[in-house]
Amino acid sequence: MFWRTIPGAVNLAALSSMLLLLVKLFIFNQISEPVDGFHELGLVFEAVLTSVLASYVFYLIVVHFKEVREKKAIYPFVTRWSNLVVRDCRVQIAGFSKVDPTKLDFQTLEKQDIEAVFARLEPNGAAPLVFWEGGQANWLQYFENYRIRSLRHIDKIMTQLKFLEAPLVALLMKVQDSTHFSAIESLSRVKLNNDNLMTFAGGFYEYVQACRKLDGYLKAHAIHSANE
């Protein structure tokens, strides 16, 4: 329900004010004034509680309902862009199958599987990617292409930061800050003399793990129903 998205402190303040106001109206108001001035103090107390409740109602109508509507409108796009980040990882893994006949699965891929593939990949060898302007990409350029694509998706998501849930942001940041992305950004424009990509295997596995966690979160949480 929508009230689950209201900050806990706001709900607690409103509930406390309502309970105190009810006690004041139905219990204390029935008791004779024990000391001069208590009646006036009670009126002030009642006015404060009423003000708190009025502020809560205003927050619900003017602020919270608007945020809920906006979140419902934007979250299908957030979900789509987040899934594209995961898809970029899946596509890269599928690209390895053109080099290694072993079937590589995104969900079950282990570090040793990546090491076995990367041991057969030459940094400057032809990758399954052709540039629009022509020419075959090498493997470092292949990784760089998907790094840039993923970061563009993440940038789009982060423009809607105020609507995002903290766990989703943390998972996206784990992808963005992965060792693999950092290494590829630095080395994609140079010509390496390495015989293989073994030095990148650990970083790529870290990146795959980050994408798997993001994929799991999206399947469990990122689709918001109309009743939330």
Side-chain angles (χ1 to χ4, degrees):
M1 292 298 181
F2 72 86
W3 56 78
R4 293 176 184 169
T5 62
I6 300 174
V10 175
N11 276 330
L12 182 60
L15 179 60
S16 300
S17 298
M18 183 174 66
L19 291 175
L20 289 172
L21 184 59
L22 291 174
V23 170
K24 165 69 171 58
L25 293 175
F26 294 102
I27 298 178
F28 291 161
N29 281 7
Q30 311 306 317
I31 301 173
S32 300
E33 184 179 22
V35 180
D36 289 344
F38 262 51
H39 177 69
E40 288 74 15
L41 183 61
L43 292 177
V44 172
F45 184 60
E46 185 177 321
V48 170
L49 295 177
T50 303
S51 176
V52 171
L53 288 174
S55 298
Y56 181 71
V57 172
F58 176 84
Y59 169 79
L60 285 180
I61 296 174
V62 177
V63 179
H64 184 67
F65 287 164
K66 179 175 181 291
E67 289 179 350
V68 169
R69 288 195 301 270
E70 290 176 346
K71 186 173 182 178
K72 284 182 179 179
I74 197 63
Y75 240 87
F77 297 98
V78 169
T79 302
R80 177 176 176 272
W81 296 328
S82 298
N83 277 308
L84 286 174
V85 173
V86 176
R87 183 178 179 275
D88 285 342
C89 183
R90 289 178 178 273
V91 170
Q92 289 174 81
I93 294 171
F96 300 151
S97 64
K98 302 180 186 305
V99 175
D100 193 309
T102 305
K103 181 174 175 60
L104 301 174
D105 182 72
F106 170 75
Q107 293 294 349
T108 60
L109 191 66
E110 297 293 340
K111 186 177 180 181
Q112 58 266 29
D113 299 323
I114 296 174
E115 290 174 343
V117 172
F118 278 37
R120 300 178 59 180
L121 298 180
E122 297 180 8
N124 302 305
L129 175 67
V130 177
F131 294 119
W132 284 104
E133 61 272 19
Q136 191 86 18
N138 63 35
W139 283 104
L140 293 181
Q141 292 169 331
Y142 177 78
F143 292 137
E144 173 67 356
N145 172 73
Y146 285 101
R147 183 190 74 85
I148 292 173
R149 280 171 53 94
S150 294
L151 292 182
R152 284 175 180 166
H153 300 323
I154 293 173
D155 285 345
K156 287 181 181 179
I157 296 167
M158 290 306 165
T159 61
Q160 308 301 325
L161 185 60
K162 70 176 182 177
F163 301 116
L164 303 182
E165 296 160 356
L168 175 59
V169 174
L171 290 169
L172 289 167
M173 291 299 95
K174 189 167 288 189
V175 174
Q176 183 174 5
D177 295 337
S178 65
T179 304
H180 174 67
F181 276 10
S182 299
I184 293 302
E185 182 181 16
S186 302
L187 299 174
S188 62
R189 293 172 180 80
V190 301
K191 187 170 184 177
L192 297 182
N193 295 322
N194 304 42
D195 294 331
N196 56 55
L197 289 173
M198 279 291 291
T199 55
F200 294 90
F204 189 83
Y205 181 62
E206 173 195 326
Y207 160 64
V208 172
Q209 286 181 305
C211 288
R212 280 203 291 235
K213 289 178 181 177
L214 175 60
D215 185 50
Y217 178 86
L218 291 171
K219 288 176 179 175
H221 301 286
I223 305 298
H224 290 261
S225 72
N227 295 322
E228 288 183 327

